[in-house]
Amino acid sequence: MQTAARKEMETLELFHMNKGSGETSYAMNSSVQNTIISCAEALRKKAIVQILCTSWPEKMGIADMGCSSGPNALRVISEIVDGVYATTRLLERPPPELVVHLNDLFANDFNNVFASLPSFYRKQRQEKGTGFGSCFVSADICFDRLLLLLGCKVPGGLEDGSGRALNKGKIYISKSSPECVLDAYSQQFKNDFSSFIACRSHEMVTGGRMVLSFMGRTTIDPTSDHSCYQWELLARSLMSMVSQGLLEEEKVDCFDAPYYAPCMEEVKKVIEMEGSFIVEEHDAYEIEPDGGMELQSDSRGERVSRTARAVLESMLESHFGPHIMDELFRRFGQHVEEHLSNNDTKSINLVVSLVKL
């Protein structure tokens, strides 16, 4: 049996968005993420203004913790650079030297990201002319990007003393999960998020700003539909394949998603207890599960399925094998379509703006 540390490292090494520009690629299925980026835009702009109005750094460090690749890879950085230059013009001061760190996991397609840098620099020079100063961009491997994307690592305590799965037939929290499973995920999030905040504290100067954006929920109930339903439908798709002899049930029982969708109360409590930051502002946004792409000719279920596949396929493939991916996500799309036809379920994006003490 693999140790938790070994399984965690394998996840870090294997996990990535689907590469390329094909039908199931992240580049072609990232409209939901684009919407999520938009939710935090106002708080990012406000953070820039506050930094430049309260201090005037000669050099400003900027980090995107989870840049990924594809059309969204440089969007956040571009908006921040635009905000810095717009603010410096208003204040009639020279812009600071910008040092940009693009962070992601081992397997991210950094070649794709860097191939887009020439067009990024051309656009900046065209728009800002001689006012565009020094802007250095680097790529960094980020061990805790998985936390930002999925919420937490796989918790311990999901097996009994004999090694049998306690959350049989499920791959995440569900309404039928034992209380100990809910507690294990909640505690793992608290541990991981606190560690993440502490690490960022060591990297930031006093008065620095951090804007976090991640999937969450608006209720204290961790089994609420908007935080669990896609995982529930994915588990249902897997178990339907088990019932037809296409997959071993043990494979499903021993897979647990490294994911957690916290409520804002949990987020604020961890930040308060860790003590390095204060919460300046926060908000929650409803997100259409398919990114609101109503004009597409395919069904909502198919769009949601492709979006999920672009993010999760590398992780699921490493556990269940590549041979079931097409059928798994076909079934998942059907389950999603049926669910959304009877339920107006939205995803929830939490946005939190922090100030370093």
Side-chain angles (χ1 to χ4, degrees):
M1 183 178 296
Q2 289 181 311
T3 65
R6 177 60 184 165
K7 290 176 70 174
E8 178 187 332
M9 182 54 66
E10 287 186 353
T11 300
L12 288 170
E13 291 173 350
L14 293 169
F15 187 77
H16 59 82
M17 306 297 102
N18 278 357
K19 299 178 182 179
S21 56
E23 183 180 359
T24 62
S25 67
Y26 179 79
M28 299 299 292
N29 297 282
S30 54
S31 62
V32 171
Q33 290 82 353
N34 188 55
T35 301
I36 290 171
I37 290 172
S38 297
C39 291
E41 184 176 357
L43 286 186
R44 286 194 298 269
K45 289 181 177 178
K46 187 171 183 178
I48 293 167
V49 172
Q50 290 169 329
I51 289 173
L52 295 178
C53 287
T54 56
S55 64
W56 198 258
E58 294 183 0
K59 181 185 294 186
M60 179 181 288
I62 304 167
D64 183 347
M65 306 295 291
C67 64
S68 190
S69 59
N72 296 330
L74 295 177
R75 179 182 164 184
V76 172
I77 296 302
S78 296
E79 289 179 359
I80 292 174
V81 171
D82 290 346
V84 169
Y85 277 81
T87 305
T88 56
R89 283 197 303 271
L90 285 173
L91 297 175
E92 297 182 341
R93 295 178 178 177
E97 177 182 288
L98 301 180
V99 181
V100 176
H101 301 274
L102 299 174
N103 292 265
D104 215 296
L105 291 176
F106 302 101
N108 186 57
D109 192 356
F110 281 110
N111 287 334
N112 174 280
V113 176
F114 276 90
S116 63
L117 282 178
S119 61
F120 165 78
Y121 278 113
R122 280 196 300 272
K123 180 174 181 289
Q124 296 300 323
R125 293 191 182 99
Q126 289 171 358
E127 293 178 350
K128 299 172 180 64
T130 57
F132 182 62
S134 299
C135 181
F136 302 98
V137 180
S138 67
D140 303 288
I141 301 300
C142 173
F143 288 90
D144 46 12
R145 188 248 172 164
L146 195 66
L147 167 67
L148 273 187
L149 181 68
L150 296 177
C152 74
K153 303 167 188 173
V154 176
L158 300 182
E159 299 174 341
D160 64 17
S162 302
R164 292 187 294 266
L166 295 171
N167 204 26
K168 286 181 64 64
K170 306 296 180 181
I171 59 176
Y172 179 58
I173 292 170
S174 75
K175 294 188 182 301
S176 64
S177 297
E179 192 70 26
C180 61
V181 171
L182 277 58
D183 292 341
Y185 268 100
S186 175
Q187 187 59 52
Q188 189 67 50
F189 168 76
K190 293 173 185 175
N191 295 344
D192 291 344
F193 189 47
S194 181
S195 176
F196 175 86
I197 293 294
C199 289
R200 301 293 78 78
S201 173
H202 292 306
E203 298 165 353
M204 295 175 63
V205 298
T206 299
R209 258 71 174 180
M210 177 164 60
V211 178
L212 300 179
S213 177
F214 42 83
M215 304 311 294
R217 63 182 195 273
T218 55
T219 70
I220 61 172
D221 178 11
T223 68
S224 59
D225 283 346
H226 56 232
S227 63
C228 296
Y229 86 95
Q230 289 197 30
W231 293 104
E232 180 73 18
L233 297 179
L234 194 56
R236 188 181 302 174
S237 303
L238 287 165
M239 291 305 293
S240 71
M241 298 181 74
V242 169
S243 68
Q244 295 177 2
L246 302 175
L247 186 63
E248 296 177 2
E249 186 172 1
E250 183 183 2
K251 276 280 191 182
V252 180
D253 290 343
C254 68
F255 180 84
D256 298 291
Y259 177 84
Y260 189 72
C263 63
M264 191 63 76
E265 288 75 12
E266 289 175 290
V267 172
K268 291 194 293 183
K269 186 173 181 179
V270 172
I271 293 169
E272 180 182 345
M273 292 187 67
E274 194 281 327
S276 298
F277 294 85
I278 59 171
V279 176
E280 190 169 58
E281 290 187 59
H282 61 82
D283 211 338
Y285 297 87
E286 289 189 340
I287 305 293
E288 293 289 344
D290 63 345
M293 299 175 64
E294 295 90 351
L295 299 179
Q296 296 284 339
S297 59
D298 46 7
S299 70
R300 294 182 76 191
E302 290 172 322
R303 295 195 295 273
V304 172
S305 180
R306 286 200 306 272
T307 298
R309 183 172 184 172
V311 175
L312 300 175
E313 183 168 17
S314 63
M315 180 171 59
L316 295 173
E317 185 178 278
S318 69
H319 182 84
F320 295 105
H323 60 288
I324 73 161
M325 291 297 108
D326 287 344
E327 180 62 18
L328 171 61
F329 284 100
R330 184 190 68 80
R331 295 181 186 219
F332 176 63
Q334 290 178 340
H335 287 310
V336 171
E337 182 67 19
E338 180 181 352
H339 175 86
L340 293 179
S341 66
N342 298 310
N343 303 274
D344 186 27
T345 307
K346 304 285 198 305
S347 299
I348 302 296
N349 176 234
L350 302 183
V351 180
V352 186
S353 180
L354 309 177
V355 181
K356 170 71 166 61
L357 295 174

